[in-house]
Amino acid sequence: MALLEDNALAEFYLERNRQVGLAGNIYKGKVTRVLPGMQAAFVDIGLEKAGFLHVSDFYDGVSALNTVAEVIGEEDVETEPIGDNEFADAETNPADEASANGNGDESGPARPSRGANGNGDESGPARPSRGRRRGRGRRSQAPQRSRLPIEQQLRRGQDIMVQIAKEPMGTKGARLTSSISLPGRHLVYTPASNHIGVSRRIASAEERARLRADVGELRPPQGGFIVRTACEGVSRREIQRDVGFLTKLWSSILRKNESMPPASILYSDLDVALRIVRDLFSSEVDRLWCDDPTTYSRIVQFVQNYMPRLRARVTLHDGATPLFDRFDIEPQIERALDRKVWLKSGGYLVFDQAEALTAIDVNTGRFVGKRSQDDTIFKTNLEAVEEVVNQLRLRNIGGIIIVDFIDMDREGDRKKVSDALAVALKRDKARTSALKISELGLVQMTRKRTRESLEKLLTDTCPRCDGRRVVKSVPTLAAEVLRGIQREAVSKSAGDMLIVKLNPEVARYLYDHGAKDLETLEQRLSTKIVLRSNDGIEPGAFELARAPAAA
């Protein structure tokens, strides 16, 4: 799925039949290990690797609504407790939590632990801050309850219902949460919470109040709801339909949980086609194109059920030209995999993704400006801000990100660039947190990630360079081959002829530039050496064969 904004590729989603997305799935799991030192547990949910459940993701009545809000992308939610709730005073706004913990990344503190997951990134343990309080209803004056240690809440062999908050990535298992959420078109049902949250992306205070009141009247006795941005302007009847559907779905999940064995799936989220329609298709979208008749029929049925006003905007593409070619999407995907991204002015960005962080370097390139050097640098940095945010969304880069802007001497210029970055990041639904630009021109930021980056989805590690982006030069490989021949020839009988099969490029270099080295090696080994090129042999590798000297 490709999302275009102003005819430019803004987001790209991919799901293959053999690699179906798992985020949002609910499982009946069994605790296999409890780690008091990490305040975490591993849970068998029937996948290849056990899932990781940190104490901060184990429901305790405090952080459930915020966890759910982050998972569904409504990162700025205004919450209100329903009636008396002993944890009402502890509810947080995820945006405030981001500023409180210093980095806004779901991993927790700015210096994450290097614990059970091996490197302490977003799959590891979290230490969420309570942030600033946002509840508006009647507050309980009871002191905030401290979280019990995980060893007092879970034990090995215990059955537990969990939901995948983050897909398995690389060598890590899925990140789990026991704060279950069931997203609908307009609402998200949170069975373990007793709060109503309303997306702050709904700008009108009156509309937020109306929606909160309607949901409060229609909700069942148990459970809370998050009002999604897509709910703005919908009728009470549509809200009631969403409430009824989600509560019935939860009842069916509970029945399955009672009858199914551990490590069983209880609920599978929609596939990528319907999930994207549910989450992204709104009145702001001009047209939804689909090039597969079967998927098109499913989308039409879904739209008719949940958003009939948008039915006319769904169109089947049945032309001879591939849909992605019609909108020039393939070249944009290709550019999104490049290390260098050019700016319109002639400047450029360089992306380097490492294990621990992503570094983005800003350069003036061919842009020389028309006035002063300071103005040239400022304009390049300002243009880079927009492209950096666009690329973060498109490439789905998450974790720690360092942007190295060109050094700016004027404090006013640094402030304008920082402010422009803050404005640009508001377009990104993923939760981000960015510090002010430093005197050296560096911006430290984090971005929430729940799925693999575009690079991980579409590429494999190069077998030649093993991900280093460089390969050994031919002279270096030739020298290694000569040393290898000397090493291997020790076991050969004196007087034998050595036939060396090697890569044509390396063989050609040795014939052209290494004749003297070969002659010296023959004298040292008292053996004649014959080189034979073979296209099937990798550079740097070789095969030795022994033959009689007279051959």
Side-chain angles (χ1 to χ4, degrees):
M1 195 287 299
L3 174 65
L4 302 184
E5 294 179 355
D6 297 325
N7 295 319
L9 184 62
E11 295 180 17
F12 180 77
Y13 297 82
L14 173 67
E15 187 173 281
R16 296 186 171 96
N17 291 334
R18 52 188 169 81
Q19 295 176 334
V20 179
L22 302 176
N25 289 358
I26 300 174
Y27 297 82
K28 180 177 182 179
K30 182 181 287 292
V31 178
T32 57
R33 293 179 65 192
V34 178
L35 305 173
M38 291 300 303
Q39 282 300 291
F42 286 101
V43 182
D44 178 17
I45 56 175
L47 301 181
E48 181 180 355
K49 295 181 180 296
F52 182 86
L53 176 66
H54 188 258
V55 67
S56 61
D57 295 316
F58 184 75
Y59 175 71
D60 61 1
V62 176
S63 57
L65 200 65
N66 292 332
T67 302
V68 173
E70 292 171 14
V71 170
I72 66 170
E74 300 285 359
E75 75 285 351
D76 197 2
V77 174
E78 180 182 53
T79 65
E80 178 177 324
I82 306 169
D84 292 325
N85 188 313
E86 61 176 311
F87 305 120
D89 200 39
E91 280 297 346
T92 67
N93 181 312
D96 296 327
E97 183 176 344
S99 61
N101 72 11
N103 64 3
D105 187 77
E106 64 282 9
S107 313
R111 297 179 64 104
S113 168
R114 299 283 179 184
N117 71 349
N119 65 3
D121 73 351
E122 71 283 347
S123 298
R127 193 183 309 156
S129 163
R130 291 288 180 256
R132 211 163 56 231
R133 294 165 182 169
R134 286 286 186 186
R136 287 188 175 181
R138 197 175 106 178
R139 306 283 187 116
S140 167
Q141 297 303 315
Q144 179 177 306
R145 189 183 75 165
S146 60
R147 179 177 284 122
L148 290 174
I150 197 166
E151 64 270 22
Q152 296 182 26
Q153 304 184 73
L154 293 175
R155 67 182 185 280
R156 184 176 180 180
Q158 178 179 342
D159 291 346
I160 180 176
M161 187 189 299
V162 292
Q163 187 171 30
I164 293 183
K166 290 184 186 174
E167 304 268 358
M169 295 185 187
T171 59
K172 305 168 196 150
R175 177 74 180 256
L176 305 177
T177 177
S178 65
S179 301
I180 305 298
S181 65
L182 295 175
R185 165 60 181 169
H186 303 116
L187 305 173
V188 178
Y189 182 42
T190 56
S193 170
N194 201 31
H195 281 67
I196 292 179
V198 181
S199 171
R200 289 183 180 274
R201 292 181 184 270
I202 300 176
S204 169
E206 291 77 12
E207 178 67 358
R208 291 203 304 270
R210 178 188 76 85
L211 294 172
R212 182 181 288 109
D214 285 349
V215 173
E217 293 173 7
L218 296 171
R219 61 175 288 274
Q222 177 60 39
F225 284 90
I226 291 177
V227 180
R228 308 188 74 171
T229 307
C231 195
E232 183 174 12
V234 304
S235 66
R236 181 185 175 93
R237 183 178 178 181
E238 290 177 283
I239 295 174
Q240 185 176 24
R241 184 166 54 181
D242 236 22
V243 170
F245 168 75
L246 293 173
T247 51
K248 287 179 182 178
L249 178 60
W250 176 240
S251 297
S252 69
I253 291 173
L254 290 177
R255 288 194 296 271
K256 286 183 180 180
N257 188 50
E258 293 176 358
S259 60
M260 300 288 284
S264 298
I265 185 168
L266 305 177
Y267 164 79
S268 179
D269 198 9
L270 300 173
D271 63 17
V272 67
L274 296 187
R275 189 169 67 246
I276 292 303
V277 172
R278 180 192 68 195
D279 296 341
L280 296 183
F281 191 39
S282 67
S283 58
E284 296 179 350
V285 177
D286 296 327
R287 182 72 57 180
L288 190 159
W289 293 89
C290 179
D291 62 356
D292 177 64
T294 303
T295 304
Y296 170 77
S297 299
R298 294 171 57 233
I299 290 175
V300 168
Q301 185 63 47
F302 187 89
V303 170
Q304 286 177 337
N305 289 339
Y306 293 99
M307 48 194 97
R309 292 174 297 176
L310 301 178
R311 167 63 185 89
R313 303 189 187 190
V314 183
T315 303
L316 175 66
H317 173 77
D318 55 2
T321 303
L323 182 58
F324 274 23
D325 286 357
R326 173 174 178 172
F327 292 97
D328 197 33
I329 292 173
E330 295 283 2
Q332 296 184 70
I333 296 175
E334 194 67 30
R335 287 195 295 270
L337 298 174
D338 288 343
R339 182 169 174 256
K340 181 182 290 188
V341 177
W342 287 97
L343 303 175
K344 292 181 180 179
S345 65
Y348 63 90
L349 310 176
V350 176
F351 286 76
D352 284 308
Q353 296 190 50
E355 185 71 20
L357 56 83
T358 298
I360 305 173
D361 187 31
V362 182
N363 299 277
T364 55
R366 299 188 295 261
F367 182 51
V368 295
K370 295 181 180 179
R371 297 176 63 185
S372 66
Q373 182 181 10
D374 287 340
D375 287 338
T376 301
I377 291 172
F378 172 66
K379 290 180 180 179
T380 303
N381 284 337
L382 210 56
E383 184 183 8
V385 163
E386 294 293 326
E387 191 61 37
V388 164
V389 175
N390 291 341
Q391 292 295 323
L392 291 180
R393 289 179 63 197
L394 178 54
R395 298 174 186 235
N396 194 34
I397 295 174
I400 300 173
I401 301 163
I402 305 295
V403 185
D404 183 10
F405 288 103
I406 306 170
D407 293 348
M408 293 172 284
D409 294 331
R410 300 184 298 212
E411 174 62 28
D413 289 351
R414 290 198 294 269
K415 185 179 185 306
K416 289 178 182 177
V417 171
S418 289
D419 292 345
L421 180 62
V423 171
L425 287 174
K426 290 181 179 180
R427 301 196 309 267
D428 191 356
K429 288 187 177 181
R431 188 171 62 133
T432 57
S433 176
L435 301 181
K436 296 294 183 182
I437 190 168
S438 71
E439 293 184 2
L440 297 177
L442 297 178
V443 168
Q444 304 173 61
M445 60 184 294
T446 59
R447 185 175 185 272
K448 177 181 170 63
R449 174 176 55 195
T450 58
R451 55 191 174 91
E452 293 281 19
S453 67
L454 188 67
E455 184 178 73
K456 292 287 187 181
L457 282 174
L458 300 180
T459 65
D460 287 326
T461 300
C462 173
R464 289 280 301 275
C465 71
D466 198 27
R468 292 190 296 255
R469 288 199 175 99
V470 294
V471 294
K472 290 182 179 179
S473 64
V474 173
T476 300
L477 294 173
E480 290 182 355
V481 167
L482 290 175
R483 287 193 294 271
I485 294 173
Q486 183 176 351
R487 198 163 43 242
E488 295 290 330
V490 172
S491 60
K492 309 298 181 182
S493 301
D496 282 352
M497 181 175 66
L498 287 177
I499 299 176
V500 184
K501 297 180 181 179
L502 68 170
N503 181 270
E505 196 172 3
V506 179
R508 190 178 305 110
Y509 179 86
L510 286 174
Y511 274 123
D512 294 343
H513 306 285
K516 186 175 181 180
D517 294 327
L518 282 171
E519 183 180 345
T520 301
L521 186 58
E522 285 179 333
Q523 294 174 356
R524 182 177 301 169
L525 298 176
S526 300
T527 303
K528 181 174 177 60
I529 298 175
V530 177
L531 303 181
R532 292 181 180 174
S533 64
N534 189 316
D535 292 328
I537 297 179
E538 288 290 320
F542 62 91
E543 296 177 4
L544 283 183
R546 181 171 51 184

